[in-house]
Amino acid sequence: MRNILVTGGAGFIGSNFIHYILKREPQVFIVNLDALTYAGSLENLKDLPDPQRHTFVHGNICDRPLVDGILLKYHIDTIVHFAAESHVDRSILGPQDFVQTNILGTFTLLEAARAFWLERKTKTGMPKEHFRFHHISTDEVFGSLTAEDPPFSETTPYQPNSPYAASKAASDHLVRAYGHTYGLPITISNCSNNYGPYQFPEKLIPLVILNALEGKPLPVYGDGGQIRDWLYVEDHCEAIWLILRHGAIGETYNIGGNNQPTNLRVVQTLCDILDELQPHSTHTPHSKLIHFVADRPGHDRRYAMDTTKIHVKLGWRPKETLESGLVKTVKWYLTHPEWVEAIRNQTEYQAWLRRNYGHREPTPKGGME
């Protein structure tokens, strides 16, 4: 794998993946295709390791001629597809963008990849193993678990409960169908909730960190008893790279952090970390800022991931515990105030705030996952 097309590489997980690969794989060249919508920012691509091996293309995955041109010009042999609308609350407010990007965008990318792969295969006799389309998905496609249910496995039936989850489920099915019907060399990974550097401020963990630093309410939906599996983003990047190199074509792999805290516990842990790192803050103890708000419509109660397959088949386990990953994340936000300010000032973010919250910050109804 020498020439990788990363879609959505200016977003949270995509940009972390680019940082990860450039730091560790000196032979890899990355083309980064991103539309720079509200959650994508060039700020995430500053200070890249060896930036000469990265090129940025501003564009949309729904633009077939653009995608065709990138595949041909850069002799792409691997596609890692992160690009997606990804926030549940936003999908409830306006599902159309999720259908457009997550379903039609994935279809366009698959069609371009299939045509390019078939042409190369016909002309050069290139074996399947020399091309890969890897699709990044989510545990939310599986729906919600009760306290007694076993964790999601790769064979759990899909039961999406939000427009976001439904659009991701549809894109998963398309990718799998292209592998089965056309022989396109695909792999899929379904991940749990990611957290870490460069995460957009609407999400639970950065929202809590930034609000706590400013003495604002820390919004918790309902009773805060919703359970999620939290995955440190660098652990996720490592798992993806392992799947690309050693995963079996046509297979799906669950990636999770192997933990099941409640949302309230996550918020309380962040407050404890901030109390320790910022002992002289006028807002300590930060837990006094916790504010319970009305639950959102259709809020899934519990997610949990069974990561046995990727551990047994590929030897992967997360390196970070929830506590160690949260400490790293808080320290990153404390030492990168310029990134936070730049994101808050960027035009797309301000437009998103006006559309969804008037002129307020997304509190208390900000994104919880």
Side-chain angles (χ1 to χ4, degrees):
M1 295 176 187
R2 294 296 183 92
N3 301 315
I4 301 178
L5 170 61
V6 175
T7 70
F12 165 45
I13 307 176
S15 63
N16 273 281
F17 180 75
I18 290 172
H19 280 269
Y20 180 88
I21 296 301
L22 292 179
K23 189 185 302 181
R24 291 165 176 80
E25 301 295 335
Q27 304 303 315
V28 172
F29 179 80
I30 294 176
V31 181
N32 178 359
L33 174 62
D34 198 294
L36 294 180
T37 55
Y38 82 103
S41 175
L42 295 178
E43 294 293 323
N44 298 343
L45 301 171
K46 289 185 175 179
D47 302 319
L48 286 175
D50 199 1
Q52 293 81 8
R53 292 188 290 115
H54 169 268
T55 190
F56 177 77
V57 178
H58 184 198
N60 197 301
I61 58 173
C62 294
D63 185 343
R64 175 67 186 275
L66 175 63
V67 176
D68 286 340
I70 291 171
L71 296 176
L72 182 62
K73 178 179 178 180
Y74 295 100
H75 305 287
I76 298 298
D77 55 45
T78 305
I79 298 172
V80 186
H81 179 32
F82 292 96
E85 297 286 348
S86 64
H87 187 50
V88 174
D89 281 5
R90 290 185 61 253
S91 78
I92 295 169
L93 290 167
Q96 182 173 340
D97 288 346
F98 290 75
V99 173
Q100 180 68 31
T101 299
N102 298 356
I103 302 176
L104 295 179
T106 300
F107 164 73
T108 302
L109 197 62
L110 283 165
E111 279 287 274
R114 180 169 72 97
F116 180 71
W117 169 68
L118 284 173
E119 183 177 6
R120 287 186 65 183
K121 184 180 177 184
T122 300
K123 288 183 177 180
T124 67
M126 177 185 66
K128 275 188 176 185
E129 291 76 13
H130 291 187
F131 189 87
R132 182 66 63 88
F133 186 109
H134 183 72
H135 177 61
I136 311 296
S137 189
T138 171
D139 56 1
E140 296 195 36
V141 299
F142 300 122
S144 182
L145 296 170
T146 68
E148 295 76 27
D149 289 329
F152 300 132
S153 73
E154 288 80 1
T155 59
T156 299
Y158 279 26
Q159 193 174 350
N161 290 325
S162 70
Y164 161 63
S167 68
K168 288 298 291 184
S171 65
D172 290 7
H173 291 321
L174 277 172
V175 173
R176 190 172 290 107
Y178 270 65
H180 180 78
T181 304
Y182 304 112
L184 185 69
I186 65 97
T187 44
I188 299 171
S189 57
N190 294 83
C191 69
S192 59
N193 285 35
N194 279 231
Y195 68 99
Y198 303 109
Q199 190 168 28
F200 197 62
E202 76 186 14
K203 302 291 187 175
L204 173 62
I205 288 173
L207 179 65
V208 168
I209 295 169
L210 298 176
N211 279 16
L213 291 173
E214 298 169 6
K216 295 179 179 179
L218 309 182
V220 176
Y221 277 137
D223 63 0
Q226 304 87 358
I227 291 173
R228 300 293 181 261
D229 180 307
W230 293 93
L231 174 65
Y232 189 64
V233 67
E234 189 167 292
D235 283 336
H236 187 191
C237 295
E238 180 185 55
I240 293 168
W241 187 234
L242 197 61
I243 292 168
L244 285 169
R245 288 178 296 143
H246 303 296
I249 289 173
E251 291 294 312
T252 297
Y253 298 88
N254 279 357
I255 307 172
N258 292 343
N259 56 70
Q260 291 188 50
T262 64
N263 281 355
L264 182 58
R265 182 193 154 196
V266 171
V267 175
Q268 290 171 330
T269 301
L270 288 168
C271 289
D272 292 342
I273 294 169
L274 285 165
D275 289 348
E276 183 176 347
L277 296 178
Q278 302 268 286
H280 303 299
S281 169
T282 58
H283 308 306
T284 55
H286 291 88
S287 58
K288 70 185 179 183
L289 300 171
I290 293 174
H291 177 59
F292 293 91
V293 300
D295 212 347
R296 72 178 176 206
H299 200 174
D300 291 338
R301 190 65 178 176
R302 173 178 169 244
Y303 304 147
M305 295 290 269
D306 181 348
T307 59
T308 301
K309 179 177 178 178
I310 193 170
H311 173 61
V312 171
K313 299 291 186 181
L314 302 181
W316 178 87
R317 277 181 175 166
K319 289 184 171 64
E320 302 296 337
T321 65
L322 178 64
E323 289 73 17
S324 68
L326 287 178
V327 169
K328 285 187 173 184
T329 302
V330 172
K331 287 182 177 179
W332 189 88
Y333 280 94
L334 288 175
T335 56
H336 290 80
E338 73 290 344
W339 179 88
V340 175
E341 186 66 19
I343 293 297
R344 285 176 167 174
N345 289 335
Q346 71 181 23
T347 303
E348 286 291 341
Y349 178 62
Q350 291 297 326
W352 174 78
L353 284 179
R354 287 193 296 272
R355 286 194 302 271
N356 295 293
Y357 298 97
H359 292 285
R360 299 177 288 111
E361 287 288 328
T363 57
K365 295 181 71 175
M368 291 292 97
E369 290 126 39

